[in-house]
Amino acid sequence: MKSSIADLRKSYEKAELSEEASHADPLQQFDQWLHEAIRAELPEPNAMTLATVGSDLRPSTRVVLIKGYDERGIVWYTNYDSRKGRELAGNPYAALQFHWVELERVVRIEGVVEKVSAAESDAYFASRPLDHRIGAWASPQSQVIDSRSVLLANAAKYAAQFLMNPPRPPHWGGYRLKPDTWEFWQGRKSRLHDRLRYRLADGRWIRERLAP
């Protein structure tokens, strides 16, 4: 019998999120949840959805990998000439979302985005595997290409040019989202989920419970 996606349901019963048990600082709460996701050996716990909005007001999303975080914000690396790079150049506000399905948890983060320093981008680029560094030169990200052979030819060209020491491309580097809003979602039974939002007001974080 053919099943309907409208009938797919799950009861969320793994954990709870209370004001008393959560951190007053959202970064500490995020650090706890991220490390719990890593310890649980979830598939790609560092994967996050990045949402941007272009000049045509059309939103777009893609999955990127978190590469660092501290009190300054959340960091990832990419091609500055990609669609997301172009959209961030015109509108620096963005949103991130982590979805740890197995733990029945979601974290949403909103704020303004800026490029990390050249020194930070250089240091991270130098730590990447060689084929990843070559790939940053080989891929004109988000541009139309005739076939995969374009990428392979570019990779061979830059591998021969740079050998074992490709420098960081000028069009490649890091971004940092500086949060002004966090939301932590914990699935609960009967769709009465826990949602705690932290919003920045006058330099301090206000924690609020939202209805699910």
Side-chain angles (χ1 to χ4, degrees):
M1 179 180 297
K2 188 175 182 180
S3 62
S4 169
I5 60 172
D7 295 329
L8 295 177
R9 293 181 179 84
K10 176 183 178 180
S11 181
Y12 300 95
E13 303 179 17
K14 287 187 178 296
E16 63 182 46
L17 179 63
S18 68
E19 288 82 348
E20 295 76 17
S22 62
H23 293 280
D25 184 337
L27 184 63
Q28 294 181 35
Q29 185 64 39
F30 173 73
D31 181 73
Q32 176 185 325
W33 272 21
L34 176 59
H35 280 90
E36 289 176 359
I38 293 171
R39 287 195 298 270
E41 298 183 345
L42 305 187
E44 294 198 285
N46 56 332
M48 57 187 184
T49 299
L50 164 65
T52 56
V53 177
S55 59
D56 57 1
L57 303 184
R58 293 175 66 99
S60 62
T61 64
R62 73 287 292 160
V63 176
V64 297
L65 301 179
I66 184 174
K67 291 300 179 181
Y69 62 96
D70 55 26
E71 66 282 352
R72 296 173 298 170
I74 310 294
V75 174
W76 69 95
Y77 292 85
T78 190
N79 188 314
Y80 291 144
D81 294 334
S82 63
R83 179 178 177 181
K84 55 186 170 297
R86 296 194 305 271
E87 291 182 344
L88 288 170
N91 175 15
Y93 291 94
L96 300 170
Q97 178 172 289
F98 293 83
H99 187 193
W100 297 309
V101 178
E102 296 82 354
L103 299 180
E104 300 174 352
R105 289 174 173 173
V106 172
V107 179
R108 300 172 57 208
I109 314 166
E110 300 176 17
V112 66
V113 177
E114 62 183 13
K115 290 181 179 178
V116 306
S117 69
E120 288 178 88
S121 290
D122 287 342
Y124 175 70
F125 187 79
S127 75
R128 305 181 86 208
L130 177 60
D131 59 337
H132 292 196
R133 285 177 279 156
I134 293 297
W137 283 95
S139 175
Q141 195 173 112
S142 300
Q143 296 182 28
V144 176
I145 57 176
D146 290 335
S147 68
R148 182 174 175 79
S149 62
V150 173
L151 299 178
L152 300 178
N154 284 350
K157 179 182 73 173
Y158 288 115
Q161 178 179 341
F162 295 125
L163 300 178
M164 299 298 292
N165 192 31
R168 178 174 64 90
H171 57 265
W172 191 98
Y175 287 105
R176 176 179 287 110
L177 183 141
K178 302 166 60 177
D180 55 34
T181 304
W182 297 74
E183 183 184 323
F184 297 85
W185 181 97
Q186 176 70 62
R188 297 295 301 274
K189 190 175 181 180
S190 303
R191 296 298 186 265
L192 300 178
H193 311 303
D194 288 328
R195 295 176 62 191
L196 294 185
R197 179 180 65 187
Y198 297 72
R199 58 182 177 86
L200 195 59
D202 297 324
R204 68 187 187 94
W205 290 105
I206 306 299
R207 181 176 51 192
E208 303 166 311
R209 177 170 289 268
L210 301 180

